[in-house]
């Protein structure tokens, strides 16, 4: 019997990666990564005002290169590829025309940041999110935020759209519809030229766009029109039904089949978000928290409908039927800054050093390039090694992990980071260690909230780049949570999870649970809490909570 292969395509913040997977056992035959060149050059972004945009050409070029790359590496017959599923960051919407093409492809908007994809970490719409929250609580009707933790975030769909249409009238007049990144890439693959015909992601709509079956889909025009008549009109150009990622969005178009060297018989599954696919790739089960740990974190759980009942979990990023495993309720929380917090500190140290190296008159171009590359590659490792050597008993600094705002619990993107107890002995390693402790304390606050809200949490699984690479972070996390943490074996768990969805959509596996059982790659390491560290961190966590209240109260 001929082998059947599936492809998971995982769009992260900095790059896209494809994995070619054997649908029988989940083994990865090939993987390929493409780093977004425009994003890497800093185009369309302004970190000072929290504006982070990406050009969809980065994504489409990456799609072609990575999929062709895995086919070439594996040397399989292209006809053996049966399905593709896309996962992306989110909420990362973009304006599209009536042919489902990004406005960024139009000559009039080719350099306009407002025509680009609005990346998840873009926080330019804090005021709009505050307005949505105020109206949701006071307008006298249904609180449409109640299935999204009761607080709408500037990282999400409606707030971002509202901000852009208020800022840019040309975009407002030209945008026929808006698509989440996962929906846009799926539409491209199947050749969809009608935004109204595309099967939109349940995951994206339920967690970020106030979609819920109990009020018939998206909020009513009466509510949306309170912000701008455009939003009420836009509702007719969006969607009412949504679909889980085990379903078929369509077949690969002739155009993309020719580009990729594949068949138009290839099934394309409905798109999803990276963290939710990651939870599937990490073999999520009920009462287990899966931490997808990268630039930010997404903390994902699933609960049976009988268990969750009518319970509303306060201050998280939503509870959505089928957003992770169809037939169960997906629960999402997370931190706006995780690896990003550590990268911020690295760049804080490196930026002036790199500038001086570039200006050096004693080094040639090759030497400069090599030295800069070594610094960028080795600094975090050096800081981590030095921080590991500092006894936990010496941890005196207390930091807040809100450098990019707070996602959960209780979204507040206007919050800022802070550090206290600095003195003349506070060197780089000690500050770095305090930041690691801060992101772990932020994770504990999420665990505490789930438990406070009556959600049983018995086990933790870590996945993603941080989980695989950082002993410092993972041991600190186990100590702070006072729980063992299993690390998923797969280096590309979101892409593997997307491949699992693809296998179900193609009819290879009956449902998502069976795909997980057949294709899961297991766990390669477990971090256990160290008793003496647990005791110390209990006290430091109490200081973290007190410090947070002081800062938030100002």
């Amino acid at each position: 019997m001929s082998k059947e292969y599936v492809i998971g395509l995982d769009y992260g913040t900095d790059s896209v990666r494809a994995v070619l997977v054997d649908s029988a056992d989940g083994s990865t035959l090939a993987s390929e990564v493409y780093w977004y060149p425009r994003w890497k050059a800093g185009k369309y972004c302004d970190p000072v005002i929290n504006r982070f945009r990406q050009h969809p050409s980065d994504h489409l070029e990456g799609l072609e290169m990575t999929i062709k790359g895995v086919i070439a590496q594996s040397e399989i017959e292209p006809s053996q590829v049966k399905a593709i599923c896309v996962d992306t960051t989110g909420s990362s919407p973009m304006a599209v025309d009536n042919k489902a093409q990004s406005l960024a492809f139009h000559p009039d908007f080719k350099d306009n940041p407002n025509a680009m994809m609005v990346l998840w970490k873009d926080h330019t719409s804090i005021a709009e999110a505050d307005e949505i929250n105020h109206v949701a609580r006071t307008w006298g009707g249904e609180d449409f935020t109640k299935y999204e933790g009761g607080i709408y975030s500037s990282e999400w769909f409606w707030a971002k759209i509202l901000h852009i249409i208020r800022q840019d009238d040309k975009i407002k007049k030209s945008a026929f519809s808006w698509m989440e990144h996962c929906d846009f890439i799926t539409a491209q693959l199947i050749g969809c030229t009608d935004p109204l015909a595309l099967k939109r992601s349940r995951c994206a709509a339920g967690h970020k766009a106030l979609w819920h079956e109990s009020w018939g889909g998206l909020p009513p025009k009466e509510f949306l029109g309170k912000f701008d008549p455009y939003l009420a009109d836009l509702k007719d150009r969006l969607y009412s039904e949504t679909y889980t990622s085990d379903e078929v969005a369509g077949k690969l178009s002739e155009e993309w089949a020719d580009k990729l060297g594949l068949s138009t018989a290839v099934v394309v599954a409905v798109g999803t978000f990276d963290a939710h696919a990651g939870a599937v790739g990490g073999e999520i089960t009920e009462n287990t928290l899966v931490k997808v740990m990268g630039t930010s974190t997404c903390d994902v759980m699933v609960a049976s409908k009988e268990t969750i009942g009518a319970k509303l979990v306060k201050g998280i990023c939503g509870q959505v039927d089928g957003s992770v495993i169809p037939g169960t309720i997906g629960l999402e929380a997370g931190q706006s800054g995780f690896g990003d917090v550590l990268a911020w500190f690295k760049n804080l140290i490196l930026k002036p050093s790199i500038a001086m190296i570039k200006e050096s008159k004693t080094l040639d171009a090759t030497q400069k390039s090599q030295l800069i590359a070594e610094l960028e590659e080795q600094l975090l490792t050096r800081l981590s090694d030095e921080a590991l050597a500092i006894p936990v008993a010496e941890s005196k600094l207390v930091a807040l992990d809100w450098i990019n705002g707070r996602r959960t619990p209780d979204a507040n993107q206007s919050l800022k980071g802070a550090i206290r107890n600095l003195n003349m002995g506070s060197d780089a390693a000690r500050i770095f260690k305090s930041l690691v402790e801060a992101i772990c304390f932020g994770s504990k606050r999420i665990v505490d909230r789930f438990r406070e809200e009556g959600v049983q949490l018995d086990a933790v699984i870590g996945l993603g780049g941080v989980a695989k690479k950082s002993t410092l972070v993972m041991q600190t996390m186990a100590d702070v949570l006072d729980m063992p943490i299993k690390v998923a074996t797969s280096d590309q768990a979101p892409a593997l999870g997307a491949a699992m969805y693809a296998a179900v959509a193609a009819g290879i596996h009956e449902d998502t649970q069976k795909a997980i059982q057949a294709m899961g790659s297991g766990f390669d390491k477990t971090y256990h809490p160290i008793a003496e560290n647990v005791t110390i961190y209990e006290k430091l966590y109490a200081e973290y909570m007190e410090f947070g209240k002081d800062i938030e109260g100002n």
Side-chain angles (χ1 to χ4, degrees), residues 333-374:
Q335 293 162 267
S336 295
F338 197 78
D340 256 0
V341 174
L342 309 183
W344 163 81
F345 187 64
K346 180 190 82 169
N347 293 333
L348 182 73
I349 296 173
L350 278 185
K351 190 172 181 179
S353 302
I354 289 174
M356 291 176 69
I357 292 169
K358 288 180 177 178
E359 293 165 6
S360 171
K361 300 188 186 312
T362 60
L363 300 172
D364 62 32
T366 301
Q367 290 171 322
K368 290 178 183 180
S369 178
Q370 289 175 343
L371 185 54
I372 289 170
E374 286 177 14

Side-chain angles (χ1 to χ4, degrees), residues 38 144 184 197 201 227 244 246 249 261 278 299 302 315 317 331 337 354 401 405 413 454 458 466 478 482 488 509 522:
R38 298 166 187 82
F144 296 107
F184 174 78
S201 165
F227 308 102
T244 54
D246 59 340
D299 294 1
V302 294
C317 302
L331 306 172
I354 289 174
D401 54 313
Q413 302 302 345
D458 298 333
V466 176
D482 192 15
H509 293 295

Side-chain angles (χ1 to χ4, degrees), residues 134-391:
H134 174 73
V135 172
R137 291 169 179 74
T138 61
W139 80 296
E142 182 79 74
D143 180 357
F144 296 107
T145 71
K146 69 182 185 180
Y147 289 104
E148 290 180 327
I151 302 175
Y152 202 73
S153 169
S154 64
E155 293 185 343
W156 298 348
F157 187 78
W158 293 109
K160 289 178 171 178
I161 294 172
L162 186 58
H163 177 75
I164 288 178
I165 65 162
R166 286 174 171 174
Q167 187 181 59
D168 195 325
D169 196 55
K170 289 184 178 179
I171 295 290
K172 181 178 181 179
K173 290 177 179 177
S174 300
F176 175 78
S177 188
W178 292 75
M179 283 185 172
E180 281 285 357
H181 189 198
C182 63
D183 290 329
F184 174 78
I185 299 296
T186 301
Q188 294 291 305
L189 283 170
I190 66 174
C192 176
T193 58
D194 180 2
L196 306 184
L198 181 68
K199 291 182 178 179
R200 304 289 189 114
S201 165
R202 169 75 57 84
C203 170
H207 285 279
K208 313 300 179 186
L210 301 175
W211 183 94
H212 199 267
E213 57 269 22
S214 67
W215 46 73
L218 296 170
K221 291 185 176 184
E222 182 186 2
F223 175 77
L224 296 173
K226 290 186 175 296
F227 308 102
D228 191 295
Y230 173 88
L231 295 190
D233 293 340
L234 177 62
K235 182 183 177 181
D236 291 333
R237 304 192 301 277
L238 289 171
Y239 52 86
S240 55
E241 297 298 320
T242 62
Y243 301 85
T244 54
S245 292
D246 59 340
E247 298 188 63
V248 177
K251 298 287 185 70
L252 195 62
S253 71
E254 287 189 13
E255 177 186 0
W256 277 101
D258 288 344
K259 284 183 181 180
L260 301 175
L262 296 175
S263 163
T264 55
V266 172
V267 166
V268 179
V270 173
T272 188
F273 281 167
D274 49 2
H276 297 245
V280 170
E283 302 180 42
I284 192 169
T285 56
E286 193 164 3
N287 304 329
T288 297
L289 177 71
V290 174
K291 295 186 66 64
V292 184
M293 305 160 76
T295 53
S296 67
T297 70
C298 278
D299 294 1
V300 181
M301 298 187 70
V302 294
S304 69
K305 295 177 182 179
E306 294 74 23
T307 299
I308 205 75
K311 185 184 302 176
L312 295 172
V313 182
K314 184 175 64 175
I316 65 170
C317 302
Q319 50 194 85
V320 179
D321 184 2
S323 65
V324 184
I325 295 180
T328 68
I329 304 298
L331 306 172
E332 180 194 334
Q335 293 162 267
S336 295
F338 197 78
D340 256 0
V341 174
L342 309 183
W344 163 81
F345 187 64
K346 180 190 82 169
N347 293 333
L348 182 73
I349 296 173
L350 278 185
K351 190 172 181 179
S353 302
I354 289 174
M356 291 176 69
I357 292 169
K358 288 180 177 178
E359 293 165 6
S360 171
K361 300 188 186 312
T362 60
L363 300 172
D364 62 32
T366 301
Q367 290 171 322
K368 290 178 183 180
S369 178
Q370 289 175 343
L371 185 54
I372 289 170
E374 286 177 14
L375 285 171
E376 290 182 332
E377 184 178 337
Q378 296 177 18
L379 182 60
L380 281 181
T381 301
R382 177 68 173 264
L383 287 169
S384 295
D385 290 344
E386 291 182 3
L388 272 170
I390 300 170

